[in-house]
């Protein structure tokens, strides 16, 4: 390959989307990945037993298939083997007393089911997801567009004209309502509240955080409209399709290429220097899909953003993630009807349970009763395991990065770090909750594999403290202020050096949004 136009540092979903978009414009792109494989948080391995294929970290791609990156690249990725598996029951909730609710990709059915739980709750659901539809143009432009841009200014001016300035202000103010306020004011049933409360955790928020109510409504709309799809055969097939497409468009991907620093000349980024000492030039610039810590402290040698000397130091990372994977001898025998076909099932006491566990983790405590998200990939994609067997993907989104103690007062924390012994003991706590809902669960377990937040960071240095969302997503680190208060789209102070990834707008998730925005604009 001749000297590339663009070098992309990192190979997560945003980097791959950006490389494919730029390649489609005829740009020569070189993707450099420090690990021995591409993918960032998309990683597929047989980690429990032979023949059981697990998505180790990320698994659900609803944000990708509903986003603009997939609209632009989907048909080409399909040519290269990408295929999704779906279910009509994307999510549900199961409480300790066995009460449960299931959401389908059918609005009429959901309205009826929620009204059966509590009269009026289904009608409120219809109004909430309908409101997302009615305001889709404004909402999704703000959630996924370049905010510092003429199109966004024009959009807001048009909305102010149509709604009136106070009407637009009221809409934006309503969007800041926390999930607790939305759920307690809008839904009468604790079960309905429990259904949606855990989903704010998947946006890096808690139920008391501003904007968490709106993001929960958006998630409810997306799940109902598109389900909770997974990649057939595992996320590795998404990566394979991207790699083939990028190479087809003239790009190159190199693994085991650890970028140590950005090379600059005359105030411009002109290339990179690898840890091996090799320098690689780029004629049109360097794009970094990394955290602010990696970009400024490592790649830029401790440089400070202009006008914000403390920005990197003050950037906050969120709670860690804890993962558990099971290979089972047979599908789980859930004690609730229909739960075996749910793609992502939350086990939680309810809204207060989510709030309590979230607060405990934020204070550095191991939650007494963690919120557990149970994925059942075998129900969507039988090819993931031998016939008649099953796999489970468990995510515990409320795990402390640095442990100060155990909220249950049972586990001993020595030095604040995650040891193997502590990891397995905490996995036992989650397994006890899981087993209480499944008949004969322990007898079906072939193997279990757990990952603490520290394990996740070891696999991917951008998961600081096991935070999979690229930093706290509270409103002060979102939208115009992500990652910093002076941020302008995906630009940096260094000309031709750009910043993408979960730490930048539009934030975390598998939508590839920042990669798409920058690739489309350059």
């Amino acid at each position: 390959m001749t000297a590339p136009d663009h070098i992309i540092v990192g190979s997560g979903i945003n980097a791959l989307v950006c490389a494919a978009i730029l390649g489609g414009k005829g740009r020569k792109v070189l993707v450099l990945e420090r690990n021995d494989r591409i993918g960032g948080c998309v990683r597929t391995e047989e980690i429990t037993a032979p023949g059981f294929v697990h998505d180790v970290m990320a698994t659900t791609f609803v944000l990708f298939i509903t986003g603009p990156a997939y609209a632009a690249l989907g048909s080409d990725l399909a040519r290269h083997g990408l295929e999704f598996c779906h279910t009509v029951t994307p999510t549900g909730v199961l409480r300790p007393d066995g009460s449960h609710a299931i959401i389908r990709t059918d609005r009429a059915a959901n309205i009826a089911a929620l009204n059966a739980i509590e009269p009026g709750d289904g009608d409120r659901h219809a109004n909430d997801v309908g409101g997302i539809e009615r305001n889709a143009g404004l909402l999704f432009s703000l959630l996924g567009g370049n905010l510092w841009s003429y199109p966004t200014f024009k959009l807001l001016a048009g909305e102010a004209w149509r709604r009136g300035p106070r009407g637009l202000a009221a809409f934006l103010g309503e969007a800041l309502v926390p999930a607790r306020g939305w759920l307690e004011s809008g839904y009468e049933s604790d079960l309905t509240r429990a259904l949606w409360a855990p989903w704010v955790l998947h946006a890096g928020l808690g139920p008391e955080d501003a904007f968490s109510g709106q993001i929960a409504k958006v998630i409810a709309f997306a799940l109902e409209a598109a389900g909770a799809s997974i990649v057939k055969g595992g996320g590795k097939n998404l990566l394979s399709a991207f790699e083939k497409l990028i190479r087809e468009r003239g790009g190159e991907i190199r693994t085991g290429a650890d970028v140590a620093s950005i090379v600059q000349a005359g105030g411009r980024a002109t290339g990179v220097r690898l840890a091996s000492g090799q320098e690689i030039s780029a004629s049109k610039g360097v794009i970094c899909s990394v955290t602010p810590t990696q970009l400024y402290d490592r790649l830029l040698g401790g440089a400070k953003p202009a006008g914000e000397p403390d920005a990197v130091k003050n950037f906050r990372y969120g709670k860690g993630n804890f993962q558990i994977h099971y290979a089972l001898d047979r599908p789980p025998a859930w004690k609730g009807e229909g739960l075996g076909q749910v793609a992502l099932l939350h086990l939680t006491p309810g809204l207060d349970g989510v709030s309590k566990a979230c607060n405990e983790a934020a204070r550095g405590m191991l939650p007494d009763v963690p919120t557990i998200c149970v994925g059942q990939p075998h129900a969507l994609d039988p090819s993931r395991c031998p016939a008649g067997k099953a796999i489970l993907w468990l995510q515990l989104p409320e795990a402390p990065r640095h442990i100060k103690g155990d909220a249950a007062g049972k586990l001993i924390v020595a030095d604040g770090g995650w040891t193997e012994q502590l990891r397995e003991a905490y996995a036992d706590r989650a397994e006890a909750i899981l087993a209480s809902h499944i008949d004969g669960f322990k007898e079906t377990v072939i193997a279990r594999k757990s990952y603490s937040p520290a394990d996740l960071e070891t696999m991917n240095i951008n998961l600081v403290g096991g935070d999979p969302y690229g930093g706290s997503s509270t409103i002060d680190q979102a939208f115009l202020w992500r990652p910093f208060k002076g941020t302008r789209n995906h630009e940096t102070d260094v000309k031709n050096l750009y910043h993408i990834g979960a730490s930048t707008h539009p934030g975390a998730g598998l939508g590839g949004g920042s990669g798409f925005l920058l690739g489309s604009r350059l």
Side-chain angles (χ1 to χ4, degrees):
M1 179 181 184
T2 57
D5 296 314
H6 300 278
I7 292 174
I8 299 181
V9 181
S11 64
I13 186 71
N14 286 288
L16 297 176
V17 166
C18 191
I21 293 292
L22 288 172
K25 295 180 173 185
R27 301 288 180 87
K28 295 178 180 178
V29 179
L30 172 62
V31 178
L32 299 174
E33 169 57 52
R34 73 191 302 267
N35 289 328
D36 62 356
R37 68 192 77 189
I38 64 171
C41 286
V42 181
R43 185 183 183 114
T44 305
E45 293 182 278
E46 293 184 9
I47 55 175
T48 54
F52 291 80
V53 178
H54 299 267
D55 283 334
V56 178
M57 291 180 273
T59 190
T60 304
F61 287 85
V62 60
L63 291 181
F64 184 63
I65 65 173
T66 57
Y70 184 66
L73 301 171
S75 60
D76 288 312
L77 293 171
R79 284 194 298 106
H80 291 297
L82 177 61
E83 185 177 348
F84 288 100
C85 297
H86 310 273
T87 176
V88 298
T89 51
T91 193
V93 66
L94 177 58
R95 296 196 296 174
D97 63 2
S99 59
H100 62 277
I102 296 173
I103 285 294
R104 299 179 174 275
T105 52
D106 181 331
R107 184 167 304 172
N110 292 334
I111 293 171
L114 295 178
N115 274 335
I117 292 172
E118 182 71 38
D121 277 6
D123 299 325
R124 176 59 189 260
H125 172 77
N127 183 66
D128 284 338
V129 293
I132 299 300
E133 284 181 329
R134 291 189 295 273
N135 294 287
L138 175 57
L139 269 175
F140 291 108
S141 293
L142 295 178
L143 285 170
N146 280 313
L147 297 180
W148 288 103
S149 66
Y150 176 70
T152 298
F153 170 78
K154 183 178 178 181
L155 171 72
L156 290 173
E159 290 291 331
W161 178 266
R162 184 170 67 88
R163 301 169 187 256
R166 289 302 308 164
L168 178 59
F171 172 81
L172 296 175
E174 182 65 24
L176 296 177
V177 172
R180 177 176 290 278
W182 163 57
L183 292 169
E184 289 186 335
S185 64
Y187 294 93
E188 296 298 322
S189 168
D190 286 337
L191 182 57
T192 307
R193 295 171 183 172
L195 176 66
W196 297 119
W199 275 104
V200 304
L201 302 173
H202 298 277
L205 297 171
E208 279 74 44
D209 286 329
F211 189 65
S212 58
Q214 185 75 335
I215 202 65
K217 294 178 191 178
V218 170
I219 291 172
F221 166 78
L223 289 168
E224 187 178 83
S229 305
I230 62 175
V231 178
K232 185 174 183 180
K236 62 181 180 181
N237 291 334
L238 172 76
L239 303 180
S240 174
F242 262 112
E243 184 169 6
K244 291 174 182 176
L245 178 58
I246 290 167
R247 294 190 188 281
E248 179 182 79
R249 293 182 170 185
E252 182 182 348
I253 297 173
R254 288 175 56 185
T255 57
D258 186 9
V259 176
S261 61
I262 305 298
V263 177
Q264 302 178 52
R268 295 174 177 267
T270 59
V272 300
R273 182 178 296 107
L274 303 185
S276 65
Q278 178 187 5
E279 288 193 10
I280 307 174
S281 297
S283 62
K284 296 185 182 298
V286 179
I287 300 164
C288 294
S289 185
V290 299
T291 62
T293 310
Q294 284 295 315
L295 178 58
Y296 288 91
D297 287 348
R298 183 168 185 255
L299 301 182
L300 290 174
K304 311 292 186 184
E308 298 181 274
D310 296 326
V312 178
K313 182 184 71 174
N314 293 337
F315 184 79
R316 303 189 319 282
Y317 290 95
K319 297 180 291 296
N321 230 245
F322 194 101
Q323 301 264 346
I324 311 174
H325 302 269
Y326 288 95
L328 303 181
D329 190 51
R330 63 178 183 269
W334 293 97
K335 295 178 181 179
E337 183 181 355
L339 297 178
Q341 296 301 310
V342 175
L344 294 171
L345 178 67
H346 286 109
L347 311 183
T348 176
L351 172 58
D352 287 344
V354 173
S355 180
K356 178 176 178 290
C358 190
N359 179 264
E360 288 167 347
R363 290 186 289 112
M365 306 296 287
L366 293 169
D368 178 13
V369 181
T371 304
I372 304 173
C373 180
V374 183
Q376 304 185 90
H378 65 277
L380 285 71
D381 179 12
S383 74
R384 298 284 188 99
C385 56
K389 311 299 182 182
I391 59 175
L392 294 182
W393 172 95
L394 270 64
Q395 181 186 50
L396 283 64
E398 308 138 333
R401 301 194 312 275
H402 181 81
I403 311 166
K404 298 178 181 177
D406 178 19
K410 298 177 181 179
L411 302 181
I412 298 175
V413 178
D415 62 356
W418 283 95
T419 64
E420 181 179 349
Q421 181 180 8
L422 184 60
R423 179 191 68 203
E424 296 308 312
Y426 192 60
D428 288 341
R429 176 176 297 176
E431 183 174 301
I433 296 172
L434 177 68
S436 71
H437 293 291
I438 299 172
D439 289 327
F441 175 75
K442 291 185 181 295
E443 291 72 34
T444 71
V445 176
I446 297 172
R448 181 182 87 181
K449 177 69 174 178
S450 304
Y451 295 93
S452 72
D455 296 325
L456 297 178
E457 184 174 6
T458 297
M459 286 191 285
N460 185 339
I461 59 173
N462 289 304
L463 304 183
V464 179
D467 173 8
Y469 303 114
S472 171
S473 301
T474 51
I475 196 66
D476 63 298
Q477 286 194 169
F479 295 103
L480 295 173
W481 311 290
R482 192 165 186 88
F484 307 135
K485 304 302 181 286
T487 295
R488 182 180 175 89
N489 296 326
H490 300 96
E491 299 170 5
T492 70
D493 300 331
V494 180
K495 288 189 69 66
N496 293 348
L497 177 63
Y498 305 95
H499 190 192
I500 62 172
S503 299
T504 69
H505 181 72
L510 294 172
S514 61
F516 177 80
L517 288 173
L518 182 63
S520 300
R521 184 167 64 87
L522 288 179

